[in-house]
Amino acid sequence: MSDAEKTLLADVPRQLFIGGEWGDATGGRTFAVADPSTGETLAEIADATPEDGIRALDAAVAAQDEWAATAPRTRSDILRRAFDLVQEHKEDLALLMTLEMGKPLAEARGEVGYGGEFLRWFSEEAVRIAGRYGLNPEGTGHMVVSQRPVGPSFFITPWNFPFAMATRKIAPALAAGCTVVIKPPALTPLTTLFFTKLLVEAGLPAGVVNVVPTSSSGRLSGPIIADPRLRKLSFTGSTEVGRKLIAQAAEGVLRVSMELGGNAPFVVFDDADLDKAVEGALLAKFRNIGQACTAANRFIVHESVADEFARRVTERVAAMKVGRGTEEGVQIGPLIDADAVAKADELVRDAADRGATVLTGGEAVEGTGTFYRPTVVSGVAPGSAILREEIFGPVLAIATFADEDEAVRLANDTEYGLVSYVFTQDLARGHRMIDRLATGMMGLNVGVVSNAAAPFGGIKQSGVGREGGLEGIHEFLSTKYTLIPAQ
């Protein structure tokens, strides 16, 4: 570990943040955060108990009315100052993410840019919350429609984008006037703790954001979700966990936002620009080491161009540099843990057993850290597990189709519906795909769709609700209608 890394880690808070104060967990318990590239412990941080979770909710509830009554411009200014502080500390945030999550430093810098934009975007939306006023159709009264904050909100964020997933939830909540309890991921909590320092420096009042890292998510989350004072739950993670959280939230009839699993199809038609398709494929698959819900999972390529597409992507993938994310030129860092490596390997072996060809990679990297070689598998047969399950690793799996109807059938043959990617030079076909592919988002001739100004979210078992865009702030607002009799 370099001196710069040690200095940065020494500057990261190790405690809970409740009611505007840093403090130890009840009983003083801690848990370790490890570097997946080496297995070495980066820090020991406070391990929140269920009692700590309720204390955090107490603080959020106590601050709610005053924060809701705070002028929108004041809320906006705090978010904008937070954005500016993120820009000042972008190298610190990027390095911290690389250390605890493993992604290459260049990608971590990209996440800082992306995540920061939610602060800027919602600082602007905070002052644009609007209603309407008008005479009712009968002429008997005036209708006033206004928007009010939903109330105290509980966030559970994932390990794969530790900065952007925190800002994507916190920024619209604060803009709308909601207070927050956030449980950062046990595998990558350091980025959220560091970002919390920046929020405090930006002038955030005590109790508005409360942070409770824990090694036992279920034990801490259950009592918070069951508390009748909580009004909103937002979760990003697996569909399996999301279903359980929705069931728990139903008891309190909570507003929920769920960004769950994905199984994104990447469809390449015979008329596609293959140069663009290959570039899009590399972004859609290998960004974040393949550990993204938006990662292309199934490459569905027209049979007339499948061999050439496979040849081109294999040439690029075979040349990818694997290593610790801080090393110069590294494109593929470690997977988050040994289980992730085992899952990727199991899916590749199952595909190969069913007749697929491993063109490059297809094995774990020996030595320290949890690395898996970037892989291309072609000729994947129907029924292969790799076509049904979210890979969450650097494995590009290619299947083929003969015509447009078959491409649509294969693309939609999944319980998930988060995002899809389509490459075609036929404008009419592109428009048909917008209508025919059952996903909440689509990239047409592009491999990355995420943007703070756009509504992010899926359909079917990929979740409910939207984050980002004009829609994002409304997840934290309730509509109130008032009738004033005509005079």
Side-chain angles (χ1 to χ4, degrees):
M1 186 181 298
S2 70
D3 289 342
E5 293 167 11
K6 292 176 182 177
T7 299
L8 174 59
L9 289 169
D11 198 34
V12 177
R14 310 291 177 94
Q15 297 173 301
L16 314 180
F17 187 69
I18 298 176
E21 297 182 355
W22 296 98
D24 293 335
T26 300
R29 291 184 58 182
T30 63
F31 67 95
V33 180
D35 178 344
S37 69
T38 64
E40 296 178 358
T41 296
L42 296 170
E44 291 276 349
I45 68 169
D47 191 353
T49 65
E51 293 76 18
D52 294 322
I54 294 301
R55 284 200 299 118
L57 181 59
D58 290 342
V61 170
Q64 177 58 52
D65 287 347
E66 185 173 352
W67 182 244
T70 298
R73 177 59 67 195
T74 301
R75 300 198 300 260
S76 171
D77 288 345
I78 290 172
L79 286 169
R80 180 61 197 224
R81 285 196 294 270
F83 168 79
D84 291 338
L85 287 166
V86 164
Q87 307 317 303
E88 291 178 24
H89 292 273
K90 60 184 178 182
E91 288 300 317
D92 292 332
L93 285 161
L95 178 56
L96 195 53
M97 278 190 283
T98 294
L99 291 177
E100 66 174 344
M101 185 265 161
K103 69 183 69 186
L105 194 54
E107 288 196 27
R109 292 187 181 108
E111 182 176 342
V112 175
Y114 170 56
E117 283 303 314
F118 289 103
L119 300 168
R120 177 156 62 174
W121 174 263
F122 286 109
S123 75
E124 296 162 346
E125 290 301 296
V127 297
R128 297 192 175 95
I129 298 170
R132 70 179 191 269
Y133 172 86
L135 189 67
N136 66 11
E138 297 79 14
T140 58
H142 289 86
M143 302 180 296
V144 178
V145 180
S146 56
Q147 303 290 332
R148 300 186 61 80
V150 168
S153 304
F154 180 43
F155 300 154
I156 304 173
T157 54
W159 52 262
N160 55 339
F161 290 97
F163 180 64
M165 297 304 96
T167 60
R168 197 162 80 182
K169 296 180 190 301
I170 290 173
L174 300 191
C178 298
T179 57
V180 168
V181 175
I182 183 169
K183 188 210 76 64
L187 291 168
T188 59
L190 303 180
T191 302
T192 302
L193 292 169
F194 188 86
F195 172 57
T196 303
K197 277 185 54 177
L198 302 185
L199 286 174
V200 173
E201 189 176 342
L204 192 72
V208 175
V209 172
N210 306 274
V211 186
V212 281
T214 182
S215 63
S216 181
S217 180
R219 288 183 63 241
L220 179 129
S221 300
I224 296 176
I225 296 171
D227 194 299
R229 299 173 298 171
L230 186 71
R231 298 313 316 143
K232 166 79 181 185
L233 170 64
S234 180
F235 168 74
T236 298
S238 72
T239 297
E240 180 182 7
V241 174
R243 290 191 196 106
K244 295 175 182 177
L245 292 173
I246 291 171
Q248 293 176 39
E251 290 296 318
V253 195
L254 299 182
R255 286 275 292 272
V256 296
S257 298
M258 294 279 152
E259 197 268 282
L260 307 177
N263 188 6
F266 188 105
V267 183
V268 181
F269 284 98
D270 54 348
D271 67 336
D273 181 325
L274 282 189
D275 289 334
K276 291 182 178 179
V278 168
E279 293 300 327
L282 296 176
L283 286 171
K285 176 72 264 182
F286 296 101
R287 174 171 169 257
N288 216 48
I289 324 166
Q291 297 175 122
C293 56
T294 55
N297 211 60
R298 297 167 294 142
F299 287 78
I300 302 168
V301 185
H302 192 273
E303 56 191 16
S304 68
V305 296
D307 287 346
E308 179 62 12
F309 177 82
R311 184 190 68 77
R312 294 193 192 188
V313 295
T314 300
E315 181 178 330
R316 296 284 295 277
V317 172
M320 286 181 171
K321 182 178 180 180
V322 179
R324 191 170 190 250
T326 54
E327 297 173 12
E328 187 70 28
V330 163
Q331 297 163 282
I332 301 293
L335 296 185
I336 192 63
D337 57 23
D339 288 344
V341 174
K343 178 182 178 182
D345 196 55
E346 181 181 346
L347 291 174
V348 170
R349 291 181 184 279
D350 172 77
D353 288 344
R354 295 171 183 266
T357 301
V358 178
L359 298 178
T360 188
E363 61 184 4
V365 178
E366 295 183 1
T368 59
T370 47
F371 295 89
Y372 194 79
R373 295 196 186 283
T375 300
V376 178
V377 184
S378 68
V380 177
S384 299
I386 207 167
L387 299 179
R388 299 191 309 270
E389 299 181 23
E390 194 170 19
I391 300 169
F392 242 63
V395 179
L396 191 158
I398 301 172
T400 61
F401 69 92
D403 57 39
E404 183 176 312
D405 286 341
E406 184 182 13
V408 171
R409 179 181 62 78
L410 292 173
N412 288 340
D413 185 21
T414 174
E415 63 185 353
Y416 300 103
L418 184 60
V419 64
S420 54
Y421 304 92
V422 173
F423 279 76
T424 177
Q425 296 185 84
D426 184 331
L427 182 59
R429 174 182 281 153
H431 278 278
R432 290 196 299 273
M433 293 302 101
I434 293 173
D435 293 330
R436 297 186 72 186
L437 295 187
T439 56
M441 301 178 288
M442 190 179 104
L444 183 56
N445 295 318
V446 294
V448 176
V449 300
S450 300
N451 189 287
F456 187 104
I459 61 174
K460 299 194 288 186
Q461 297 204 33
S462 286
V464 294
R466 292 296 182 268
E467 294 181 313
L470 300 175
E471 296 80 1
I473 199 167
H474 289 283
E475 297 286 333
F476 295 94
L477 294 168
S478 59
T479 300
K480 186 171 186 176
Y481 153 62
T482 302
L483 178 64
I484 304 174
Q487 300 300 317

